[in-house]
Amino acid sequence: MQFQSLSFLLFLTVVFFTYWRLSPKYRWILLLSAGYLFYSCWNPAYTALLFGATALSYGTALLLEGAQGGRKKVYLWIFVCIQIGTLLLFKYLGFFSEMAAGLLSLFHLSVPLSPIRLLLPVGISFYLFQTLAYVCDVYRGRIRAERHFGYFAAAVAFFPVLLAGPIERIQDLTVQFREEKRFSAKSGWLSLQRILEGYLKKAVIADSLCVYVDTVYADLPAHAGFGLLLAVFFYSLQIYCDFSGYSDIATGTAGLLGISLNPNFAQPYLADSVKNFWRRWHISLTSWFRDYVYIPLGGNRVGAWKAARNILLTFLLSGLWHGAAWTFVFWGLLHGLLQITEQTVKRFLGHIRLPKFVKQLWTFLLVSAAWVFFRAKSPADACYVLSHCMTGFASLGSYLSLGLAALQMQKLQLLLLLFFLVLQACMDIGIEHKGRRALPVWVLAPITTLALFYWLRYGTDPGAFIYFQF
């Protein structure tokens, strides 16, 4: 049941009307049931894994509050090992088995070791990180353990964020679940707008760009020059519209139920440095790694060399979190190195005075180049893209014309797609400077109508959101 499916819209409609007709003290039962029903639509067997992670974290938190001294630390480490072990089993077993086979071949050892791959449960990286954060916060004494298992389980299985985040703090959700809220037409209208914006980003922009990007990466040797460069920039826009579109739909869906989620994106391509980019991109994951990896390692409170090590290790783990492949490892290390370079330059040269739009453009180019490793099937493919995307640039006219010809889009489709890209950029700039505001009906109605026309005429089969694979 994907967000862009009719079955989800029917599911949401039933949940919405039932939720607001129920007494507030029974709404957690509906949310819990809806979460497990929603998750079971992907693979019913893996609801047992979701329940197991929920029960384990709930029980461990209660144990931690009653434990003292060394026993408390033992309970924590047992829990962490089980949670991380589960993630390693389902997500990284194939990657590590391939790595072991490669190492054995270096020593000319003919040990029959075929890669082992298990079906990855959708959303596992998100709800395991969510429960890890909760138990660690209880251990540190930042929050009290939740006593009501129903509220706790409903928070872990809250369907708007269950599959691909944002990684919400469980205590923030349980507090809101207990509040006696009444439906607000104004809040509902803003939430509906947020959902429509998410659908525009995903179904119109991201899925359209995906067609060209997938075509190029499926046969890289057949492309060079501006065609490759377009694929680089298109993927930057695709992954932003895809994932922020998901976050918009999730936030809007939760808002229809009176639940506020923390922002997960803050116009990341308006960042003027790579460090600033990570304060704006996938904010919930960035804050998770900051609070539970970077700061416990010492953060920037240690010497320059150790601080650089902490950044590099944090982004290495972030890369591995996104996927069990060398491309994600390189992507994470590259972002760590870019941040270390920025800090080193600033330390020795001071603050370089450049127009803000120049720094924003430079940051976008760096981030886009790094995304190539994120999208490519192998490091070799990524290097091919980066080394051949400027081929033929000396003859600018043919360089541009050949690349545009490779798009194979009708003129009307290309013009409409450019319109929606410019519209999205204007909306991001407007939010950056003035904050999120409701659009009047006379503006929203024609945009929605035009988007529907585009989707009906040029839309492709809805693909799964990119972050579902993580």
Side-chain angles (χ1 to χ4, degrees), residues 119-132:
L119 180 63
L120 180 65
V122 64
I124 186 171
S125 298
F126 292 90
Y127 66 75
L128 287 184
F129 267 37
Q130 186 183 40
T131 52
L132 272 169

Side-chain angles (χ1 to χ4, degrees), residues 424-444:
Q424 185 58 52
C426 291
M427 291 173 65
D428 279 357
I429 292 171
I431 295 171
E432 176 81 359
H433 293 289
K434 297 182 180 180
R436 181 172 293 278
R437 295 187 301 173
L439 292 175
V441 176
W442 63 269
V443 174
L444 186 63

Side-chain angles (χ1 to χ4, degrees), residues 259-285:
I259 307 298
S260 298
L261 302 182
N262 293 312
N264 207 29
F265 287 87
Q267 300 71 247
Y269 290 149
L270 296 179
D272 57 5
S273 67
V274 176
K275 182 178 181 180
N276 186 235
F277 170 81
W278 280 103
R279 289 174 177 168
R280 297 164 172 262
W281 178 276
H282 203 346
I283 298 170
S284 62
L285 181 67

Side-chain angles (χ1 to χ4, degrees), residues 3-17:
F3 275 178
Q4 65 271 42
S5 66
L6 291 176
S7 57
F8 174 75
L9 294 178
L10 177 61
F11 168 81
L12 177 58
T13 301
V14 173
V15 171
F16 172 79
F17 284 106

Side-chain angles (χ1 to χ4, degrees), residues 182-327:
R182 292 184 178 182
F183 178 71
S184 164
K186 180 180 179 181
S187 175
W189 175 242
L190 288 173
S191 298
L192 184 60
Q193 281 197 29
R194 193 72 178 264
I195 292 172
L196 290 174
E197 183 181 344
Y199 281 130
L200 170 65
K201 288 179 178 179
K202 168 60 178 173
V204 174
I205 300 177
D207 284 351
S208 295
L209 297 175
C210 176
V211 173
Y212 179 74
V213 172
D214 285 354
T215 300
V216 171
Y217 276 93
D219 188 11
L220 286 177
H223 298 84
F226 191 52
L228 281 180
L229 190 63
L230 280 176
V232 172
F233 292 137
F234 277 13
Y235 186 70
S236 294
L237 300 174
Q238 178 200 344
I239 193 171
Y240 168 60
C241 289
D242 189 283
F243 193 29
S244 68
Y246 176 91
S247 296
D248 286 336
I249 298 171
T251 301
T253 299
L256 288 177
L257 304 176
I259 307 298
S260 298
L261 302 182
N262 293 312
N264 207 29
F265 287 87
Q267 300 71 247
Y269 290 149
L270 296 179
D272 57 5
S273 67
V274 176
K275 182 178 181 180
N276 186 235
F277 170 81
W278 280 103
R279 289 174 177 168
R280 297 164 172 262
W281 178 276
H282 203 346
I283 298 170
S284 62
L285 181 67
T286 304
S287 61
W288 195 99
F289 274 103
R290 179 198 65 209
D291 293 344
Y292 303 104
V293 177
Y294 180 67
I295 291 178
L297 286 173
N300 59 1
R301 302 185 305 274
V302 292
W305 285 106
K306 288 186 178 181
R309 176 208 63 188
N310 295 342
I311 291 174
L312 211 57
L313 183 57
T314 300
F315 277 92
L316 170 63
L317 293 175
S318 175
L320 274 174
W321 178 90
H322 282 86
W326 287 111
T327 48

